[in-house]
């Protein structure tokens, strides 16, 4: 596999994907806590990871790791209040943070109650204060059907940001150019690529075309944001059968 591709696992369905991911989260969390006394975990947003977060909060997994030694961060956030239906923080709070009673002191939320530029600057300060030099112990990411990761969308100026850990971005950059307002705050590529371990969770048939494009590395095509992932550490793709349907890879039983 090419360096960008990392290692690729195909699971029979979304439930099996969440189970495999939950096992990796706990395994890496236990190792980080044993080695360094803390687990610095960046959560993915969107809809896919909710199933993983709910599973991590079940009795089968909740007791396998000392969540009180975790520090929770976010890969990106929509510029909406933390209790908004579109908030990645709210999704994580409802599925993982509240069920596991993770204290607010351990949760480094992107402060979207402030305007986007101020929220991004505040989050950058927070990352510089709390994140070890080696970066996240584990970075969870999803991927859009256009190959975006976090809120780094194709053509976004935020892709070129090298000096700040977090930046302001817009979804549908052309929409923003037309006066559309879908502001985001996102980790920048250097921060994403610093992680010791990165898990990319990709589920569902709508992602199959971009998965093929990325993992088969179409010659000459401009790199998509996900292809700009060159982690210092490991990169693992966890796909379900639907997302991997254009790949001739074995499906784990
Ligand atoms: C977000 C996420 C984004 C997400 C992808 C996939 O804020 O939406 O950070 O990068 O991971 O868009 O989203 P789904 O899991 O909903 O397909």
């Amino acid at each position: 596999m090419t360096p960008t591709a990392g290692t690729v696992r195909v699971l029979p369905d979304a439930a099996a994907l969440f189970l495999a991911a939950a096992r990796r989260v706990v395994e890496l969390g236990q190792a980080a806590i044993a080695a360094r006394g803390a687990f610095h975990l960046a959560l993915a947003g969107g809809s896919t990871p909710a199933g993983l977060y709910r599973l991590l909060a079940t009795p089968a997994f909740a007791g396998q790791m000392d969540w009180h030694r975790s520090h929770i961060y976010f890969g990106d956030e929509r510029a909406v209040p933390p209790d908004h239906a579109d908030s990645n923080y709210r999704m994580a709070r409802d599925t993982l943070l509240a069920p596991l009673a993770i204290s607010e002191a351990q949760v480094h939320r992107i402060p979207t109650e402030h305007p986007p530029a101020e929220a991004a600057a505040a989050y950058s300060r927070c990352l510089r204060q709390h994140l070890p030099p080696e970066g996240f112990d584990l970075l969870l990411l999803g991927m859009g059907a256009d190959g975006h990761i976090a809120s780094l969308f194709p053509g976004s100026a935020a892709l070129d940001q090298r000096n700040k850990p977090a930046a302001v971005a817009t979804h549908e950059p052309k929409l923003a150019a037309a006066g559309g307002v879908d502001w985001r705050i996102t980790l920048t590529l250097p921060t994403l690529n610093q992680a010791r371990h990165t898990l990319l969770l990709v589920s569902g048939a709508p992602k199959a075309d971009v998965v093929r494009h990325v993992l088969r590395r179409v010659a000459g095509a401009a790199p998509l944001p996900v292809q700009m992932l060159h982690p210092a550490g490991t990169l693992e793709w966890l796909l379900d059968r639907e997302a991997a349907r254009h790949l001739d890879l074995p499906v784990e039983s």
Side-chain angles (χ1 to χ4, degrees):
M1 283 295 177
T2 56
T4 303
T7 60
V8 182
R9 296 175 59 188
V10 181
L11 288 308
D13 53 31
L17 187 160
F18 298 145
L19 183 58
R23 286 170 173 160
R24 285 298 283 147
V25 171
V26 166
E27 181 182 5
L28 293 169
Q30 289 169 337
I33 291 167
R36 294 176 293 279
F39 180 38
H40 294 270
L41 169 62
L43 298 180
S47 57
T48 300
L52 165 60
Y53 302 159
R54 289 192 188 95
L55 182 59
L56 284 168
T58 62
F61 281 93
Q64 290 189 35
M65 199 192 86
D66 183 0
W67 282 96
H68 300 296
R69 305 289 288 272
S70 67
H71 284 262
I72 305 294
Y73 308 80
F74 296 83
D76 70 327
E77 187 56 278
R78 294 83 181 272
V80 296
D83 56 356
H84 191 283
D86 291 345
S87 166
N88 287 333
Y89 163 78
R90 174 176 164 178
M91 182 270 284
R93 181 198 66 194
D94 294 349
T95 57
L96 182 72
L97 307 178
L100 289 177
I102 295 176
S103 72
E104 286 300 307
Q106 297 169 245
V107 179
H108 307 292
R109 181 177 64 81
I110 300 174
T112 51
E113 58 274 21
H114 302 300
E118 288 179 34
Y123 193 45
S124 288
R125 288 193 298 273
C126 167
L127 290 161
R128 289 189 175 113
Q129 179 182 351
H130 295 285
L131 196 60
E134 302 79 12
F136 301 114
D137 294 303
L138 175 58
L139 167 65
L140 297 175
L141 285 175
M143 180 183 66
D146 61 357
H148 78 259
I149 48 176
S151 281
L152 296 171
F153 296 93
S156 168
L159 286 164
D160 301 322
Q161 179 51 258
R162 293 289 181 273
N163 303 318
K164 298 174 185 172
V168 175
T170 53
H171 188 195
E172 302 288 338
K174 51 187 175 301
L175 172 63
V181 181
D182 183 357
W183 293 99
R184 306 286 186 96
I185 294 91
T186 184
L187 293 178
T188 54
L189 276 172
T191 309
L192 297 177
N193 280 324
Q194 204 182 10
R196 291 173 184 269
H197 301 280
T198 300
L199 275 184
L200 256 170
L201 311 175
V202 187
S203 171
K207 310 290 176 74
D209 288 346
V210 70
V211 165
R212 172 176 52 188
H213 177 91
V214 171
L215 295 184
R216 289 189 178 170
R217 298 201 38 103
V218 176
L224 296 174
V226 68
Q227 292 173 297
M228 300 176 183
L229 267 183
H230 299 290
T234 67
L235 172 59
E236 300 168 66
W237 291 71
L238 292 182
L239 309 174
D240 65 9
R241 189 196 309 268
E242 283 299 301
R245 65 183 181 172
H246 296 321
L247 307 178
D248 52 354
L249 291 175
V251 178
E252 294 182 19
S253 52

